[in-house]
């Protein structure tokens, strides 16, 4: 099964040179001013707050965000916790608010735990954009969605169904138990399995906490607990690479299918050695790039988050704000042995 990517920019955007070494300190281009304390039309100080630092997925999204902020003549920074946790991002939000940044671009570890801090930031004039993983809608100004939850769930269900002959037991290796995006996708996968794949049984959902070693250990444990398992879906980049690492040197290689959401650079060796047949994702560099342009559009007053608002996101073109103050990047893309070498992220 092949899925067409609707955005021709994916290859070009992914071919940027070396990854950033992001340490949480500000990386300054030609500053957009920042004269307005707590946000304003001349304050293009944009801070990215991922779920955790050191995650290749977020390194790549921040790379796109940095490129966009530099194009806009603003000031880019990335901050964040070393490990994911429901309230681990609160102190970083508070600090950014005190610093008077123009916008916070946040991938939320929990839909509620950071809401009070985000609303305090908004009261201080900071524009709040969520990306990748949303908060409750009343805690932010705009959500930049990588793809629809239905589309992300469907591509993963379709892939695992194809790989296991549409029958047998499967398990899910997720990130954290409270991750908004993960739980939404898992709920929709359950619905799709029940409606369209009655011969596939989801027997377990385990959580690797966005930690490579924990995800590795959880993969081993779920395989031992379910000896008839035919497939694993991991809708998280750390989880899928950890599961692939375990499978690649185990007796399960070639017997238990693995798919989910990963980056080409993480998964290339496992595609090449036959551990994994195909997996999906969007371009996280494009996601970060779009999020930065959305933040700038809010800061400049070009949009407010109202449905029907439009703005231009540099090389990605024009976007329209949809319902619930949401902007959609595009459709998921499937990577396999035929195309994986076309991408570098």
């Amino acid at each position: 099964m092949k899925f067409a990517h609707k955005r021709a920019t994916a290859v070009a955007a992914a071919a940027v040179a070396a990854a950033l070494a992001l340490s949480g300190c500000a990386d300054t281009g030609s500053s957009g001013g920042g004269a307005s304390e707590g946000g304003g039309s001349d304050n293009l100080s944009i801070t990215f707050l991922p779920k955790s630092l050191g995650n290749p997925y977020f390194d790549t999204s921040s790379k796109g965000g940095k490129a966009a902020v530099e194009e806009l003549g603003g000031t880019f920074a990335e901050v964040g916790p070393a490990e994911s946790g429901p309230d681990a991002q609160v102190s970083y939000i508070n600090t950014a608010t005190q610093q008077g940044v123009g916008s916070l671009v946040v991938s939320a570890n929990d839909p509620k735990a950071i809401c009070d801090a985000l609303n305090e930031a908004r009261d201080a004039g900071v524009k709040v954009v969520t990306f990748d993983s949303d908060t409750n809608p009343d805690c932010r100004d705009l959500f930049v969605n990588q793809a629809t939850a239905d589309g992300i769930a469907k591509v993963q269900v379709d892939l695992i169904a194809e790989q296991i002959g549409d029958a047998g037991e499967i398990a899910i290796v997720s990130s954290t138990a409270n991750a908004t995006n993960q739980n939404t996708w898992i709920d929709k996968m359950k619905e799709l399995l029940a409606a369209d794949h009655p011969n596939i049984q989801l027997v377990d959902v385990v959580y690797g906490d966005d930690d490579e070693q924990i995800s590795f250990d959880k993969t081993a444990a779920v395989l031992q607990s379910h000896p008839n398992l035919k497939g694993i879906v991991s809708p998280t980049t750390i989880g899928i690479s950890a599961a692939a690492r375990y499978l690649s040197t185990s007796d399960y290689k070639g017997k238990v299918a693995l798919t989910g959401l990963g980056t080409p650079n993480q998964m290339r060796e496992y595609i090449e050695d036959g551990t994994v047949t195909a997996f999906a994702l969007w371009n996280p560099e494009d996601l970060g790039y779009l999020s930065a342009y959305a933040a700038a559009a809010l800061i400049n007053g070009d949009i407010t988050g109202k449905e029907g608002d439009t703005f231009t996101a540099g090389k990605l073109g024009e976007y329209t704000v949809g319902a619930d103050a949401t902007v959609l990047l595009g459709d998921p893309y499937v990577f396999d042995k035929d195309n994986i070498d076309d991408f570098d992220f």
Side-chain angles (χ1 to χ4, degrees):
M1 177 188 313
K2 300 289 182 183
F3 295 81
H5 195 4
K6 290 187 177 179
R7 293 204 179 277
T9 58
V11 175
V16 181
L20 299 176
L22 296 170
S23 62
C25 57
D27 190 345
T28 307
S30 56
S31 175
S36 175
E37 186 74 7
S41 63
D42 60 348
N43 184 8
L44 286 177
S45 172
I46 297 174
T47 295
F48 272 57
L49 175 55
K51 291 179 181 177
S52 61
L53 298 181
N55 181 328
Y57 173 87
F58 289 116
D59 288 348
T60 305
S61 61
S62 290
K63 181 179 178 181
K66 179 176 182 287
V69 173
E70 288 181 343
E71 290 175 8
L72 290 160
T75 303
F76 172 87
E78 185 197 46
V79 299
E83 297 181 358
S84 301
D87 58 0
Q89 296 168 307
V90 170
S91 64
Y92 298 94
I93 296 168
N94 293 338
T95 298
T97 302
Q98 292 164 6
Q99 291 171 340
V101 302
S103 177
L104 271 166
V105 181
V106 184
S107 178
N109 276 318
D110 185 279
K112 298 178 182 178
I114 62 174
C115 273
D116 286 346
L118 288 178
N119 280 328
E120 287 178 9
R122 295 171 73 201
D123 288 343
V126 179
K127 301 301 183 182
V128 172
V129 175
T130 53
F131 78 108
D132 174 71
S133 182
D134 199 10
T135 59
N136 291 343
D138 58 0
C139 307
R140 44 75 170 169
D141 297 297
L142 197 70
F143 172 46
V144 179
N145 196 356
Q146 56 269 49
T148 65
D150 288 333
I152 293 167
K154 186 176 188 303
V155 71
Q156 293 179 92
V157 168
D158 286 349
L159 284 169
I160 198 64
E162 181 180 31
Q163 292 170 19
I164 67 171
D166 206 19
E169 295 182 356
I170 65 170
I172 291 174
V173 178
S174 186
S175 60
T176 60
N178 294 323
T180 315
N181 54 353
Q182 299 283 313
N183 290 334
T184 299
W185 301 335
I186 290 168
D187 286 344
K188 290 187 178 295
M189 282 192 273
K190 288 177 179 177
E191 293 172 5
L192 287 168
L193 289 168
D196 301 329
H197 304 276
N199 295 321
I200 297 178
Q201 296 83 45
L202 176 59
V203 295
D204 209 349
V205 178
V206 298
Y207 301 94
D209 295 335
D210 261 346
D211 179 278
E212 206 277 343
Q213 189 58 50
I214 295 173
S215 299
F216 180 94
D217 294 340
K218 291 287 188 177
T219 301
V222 80
L223 286 162
Q224 292 164 10
S225 299
H226 302 281
N228 296 321
L229 205 66
K230 291 189 67 177
I232 295 173
V233 178
S234 187
T236 165
T237 58
I238 290 178
I240 192 174
S241 62
R245 181 167 70 88
Y246 180 83
L247 288 173
S248 67
T249 58
S250 75
D251 292 338
Y252 298 103
K253 179 180 177 182
K255 299 176 183 177
V256 175
L258 172 65
T259 194
L261 305 178
T263 68
N265 289 353
Q266 285 177 299
M267 299 301 295
R268 185 171 286 105
E269 65 179 291
Y270 304 117
I271 289 284
E272 291 174 349
D273 71 10
T275 301
V276 176
T277 301
F279 63 96
L281 198 65
W282 44 92
N283 188 335
E285 189 171 336
D286 283 352
L287 183 64
Y289 183 93
L290 174 58
S291 298
Y293 265 95
L298 285 167
I299 292 168
N300 292 332
D302 298 331
I303 61 173
T304 63
K306 182 181 66 176
E307 185 172 0
D309 281 353
T310 62
F311 66 100
T312 300
K315 64 189 177 186
L316 296 181
E318 187 172 280
Y319 283 82
T320 301
V321 178
D324 298 320
T326 296
V327 175
L328 179 64
L329 174 63
D331 290 337
Y333 186 92
V334 172
F335 302 91
D336 57 25
K337 62 182 177 61
D338 294 329
N339 63 23
I340 195 166
D341 287 334
D342 295 334
F343 297 87
D344 183 20
F345 67 89

